[in-house]
Amino acid sequence: MRRETFTDAAVTYGAIGGTLAPDLLRYPPQGHRPQERSVRLGSGEVRFRLASRSLMTWGVQRGSGMSVTDLESGTGVQYSGLRFNADGTAAADQNGSDNEETFSDDGTPYIINGMTARLRVPFGPFTVTAPVRVVYVIDEVDRVGFAYGTMKGHPESGEESFVVARHEDDSVWLTVRAFSRPSTWYYRLVWPILRMQQARFTRSYLRALHPAGAA
């Protein structure tokens, strides 16, 4: 039996890369609810490297009680977005970097552009399946992270990003940004419950990489 994949499927919203917008909280995509939360994870290069490695192998999601299944690498180039020069003009070279797939010690593939996955989310006595697609990856000296967008079958429509950054004072922070709305009429009926669950999981996200296990 052929296993179902999402390699060629599209995300279910238009503002791809919207979690990168500095004014997201003030001007979210129309009809979407934005949010941003941060937590300090500690300080120093070792803490930054450990947190980054965990983040890029789905450590935030798994540490929050979700299971991550059906990982597919995709082509690695979807939704890579435009790159800009320091003066704000579009860079002439838009090829970006090659997304060579690497693996953690336990064999988990590192997150790359275009990767798809199913998140299985505990929801009371039930489990909700939430298909997602990675829409961009950040790989800088002191800043590492990614964002995924929702796909057909996800209770919400929107995007969520997870970024670990090492600041000038050597402190290390995890920031979660998102915008979302219900994906179907059914989920609109239970939107207040979904918002409560989203808030609960955001708190879990912030604890997942914290060395003390609590934000």
Side-chain angles (χ1 to χ4, degrees):
M1 181 176 180
R2 182 177 180 274
R3 183 163 64 91
E4 181 185 10
T5 70
F6 299 106
T7 303
D8 300 316
V11 293
T12 56
Y13 64 103
I16 297 167
T19 48
L20 291 169
D23 56 357
L24 172 65
L25 296 182
R26 177 175 286 188
Y27 301 111
Q30 186 174 5
H32 292 76
R33 174 178 173 266
Q35 70 167 348
E36 177 179 306
R37 293 283 305 278
S38 296
V39 65
R40 181 170 177 166
L41 302 177
S43 61
E45 182 176 358
V46 172
R47 173 53 50 197
F48 173 70
R49 298 302 171 197
L50 289 173
S52 298
R53 187 181 306 125
S54 179
L55 175 71
M56 298 307 291
T57 52
W58 305 96
V60 167
Q61 288 70 32
R62 288 173 169 150
S64 303
M66 300 179 183
S67 60
V68 183
T69 65
D70 296 341
L71 291 171
E72 293 285 341
S73 62
T75 67
V77 296
Q78 293 97 326
Y79 313 134
S80 57
L82 289 175
R83 296 189 299 113
F84 295 90
N85 300 315
D87 62 0
T89 59
D93 179 12
Q94 294 291 338
N95 290 329
S97 59
D98 294 332
N99 286 286
E100 182 178 355
E101 192 169 32
T102 56
F103 298 84
S104 66
D105 293 340
D106 66 358
T108 301
Y110 275 73
I111 292 167
I112 62 172
N113 275 338
M115 177 176 278
T116 58
R118 293 178 191 261
L119 306 180
R120 299 190 184 277
V121 186
F123 192 83
F126 308 104
T127 298
V128 175
T129 299
V132 297
R133 186 183 198 89
V134 176
V135 296
Y136 65 78
V137 169
I138 297 169
D139 186 10
E140 301 172 1
V141 174
D142 291 319
R143 191 164 171 261
V144 172
F146 70 98
Y148 52 57
T150 58
M151 300 173 67
K152 184 178 180 181
H154 198 294
E156 298 177 352
S157 175
E159 186 175 295
E160 196 161 27
S161 70
F162 308 85
V163 177
V164 169
R166 185 182 177 193
H167 295 181
E168 291 184 0
D169 64 357
D170 210 30
S171 62
V172 179
W173 293 77
L174 168 67
T175 297
V176 179
R177 307 183 91 214
F179 59 86
S180 61
R181 66 182 179 187
S183 61
T184 66
W185 67 268
Y186 170 77
Y187 288 115
R188 281 195 292 272
L189 294 178
V190 294
W191 183 232
I193 298 174
L194 285 179
R195 285 181 60 177
M196 290 175 59
Q197 288 293 103
Q198 185 184 53
R200 182 174 71 84
F201 271 103
T202 298
R203 292 192 295 270
S204 296
Y205 291 157
L206 297 174
R207 291 193 296 267
L209 300 186
H210 199 279

